[in-house]
Amino acid sequence: MTALLPALAGANTLYGSGMLELGMTFSFEQLVIDNDIITMVKKAMEGVPVNEETLAVEAIKFIGVGNDFIGHPSTMENIDLPSDPTVINRDMLGDWEKAGKKDLATVAHEVVEDVLKNHVVIQIPEDKLKEMEKVVKKADAAFAKGA
């Protein structure tokens, strides 16, 4: 719980994604894992929508108070509202074992391999690149003047 306190207290910058050993080492796998964690924290900061659907008002009327809601379709429709990680596995133990028992580092490594093999870099449009270069030159000139 303490790991979420800075985010819930209003911090809006997360630092060190992918870093190990106080930033002396960088890991693509750690970056993938950190991305999942940061995405979940950001999702938590958005809050949870509260309405008749997310409160499952119709399901409560249909099933009744004190009965089992896990199997009801509305539960599965809303289960990922708080967060929906891509590499952190939330399967039941038996399902995870049947799927090969891959640990988090292995799954993250598979993502890294896929990105390195298949990612296509989208080129920055020439006009945007020129605008960016102007901003950099202006900042360099201001720095050189000591401003």
Side-chain angles (χ1 to χ4, degrees):
M1 180 64 181
T2 55
L4 289 178
L5 290 180
L8 298 177
N12 62 3
T13 302
L14 296 169
Y15 173 79
S17 300
M19 291 184 185
L20 302 172
E21 301 181 89
L22 299 172
M24 298 300 291
T25 305
F26 185 86
S27 165
F28 287 138
E29 290 78 8
Q30 186 64 52
L31 180 62
V32 169
I33 294 166
D34 290 345
N35 182 64
D36 246 17
I37 294 168
I38 291 166
T39 301
M40 289 189 295
V41 168
K42 288 172 73 175
K43 188 72 174 173
M45 290 173 62
E46 289 175 10
V48 177
V50 178
N51 54 47
E52 285 199 20
E53 182 183 339
T54 60
L55 290 174
V57 172
E58 291 303 315
I60 292 169
K61 288 178 185 175
F62 178 75
I63 297 168
V65 176
N67 293 314
D68 183 11
F69 291 87
I70 298 297
H72 192 272
S74 67
T75 301
M76 294 311 294
E77 289 168 10
N78 293 308
I79 200 154
D80 289 329
L81 284 176
S83 67
D84 189 17
T86 58
V87 293
I88 296 172
N89 191 312
R90 291 186 171 168
D91 290 345
M92 298 298 289
L93 180 61
D95 294 334
W96 173 74
E97 289 173 335
K98 288 176 193 170
K101 301 194 281 188
K102 291 182 186 176
D103 61 41
L104 183 56
T106 300
V107 175
H109 183 70
E110 290 172 353
V111 170
V112 168
E113 286 182 329
D114 180 61
V115 169
L116 291 174
K117 180 180 177 186
N118 298 308
H119 180 71
V120 176
V121 176
I122 299 170
Q123 295 296 318
I124 299 171
E126 194 64 35
D127 60 326
K128 297 289 182 197
L129 193 56
K130 286 181 180 178
E131 288 179 42
M132 293 167 64
E133 288 171 354
K134 287 179 187 176
V135 170
V136 171
K137 284 181 183 178
K138 183 178 177 181
D140 285 347
F143 181 76
K145 289 180 183 177

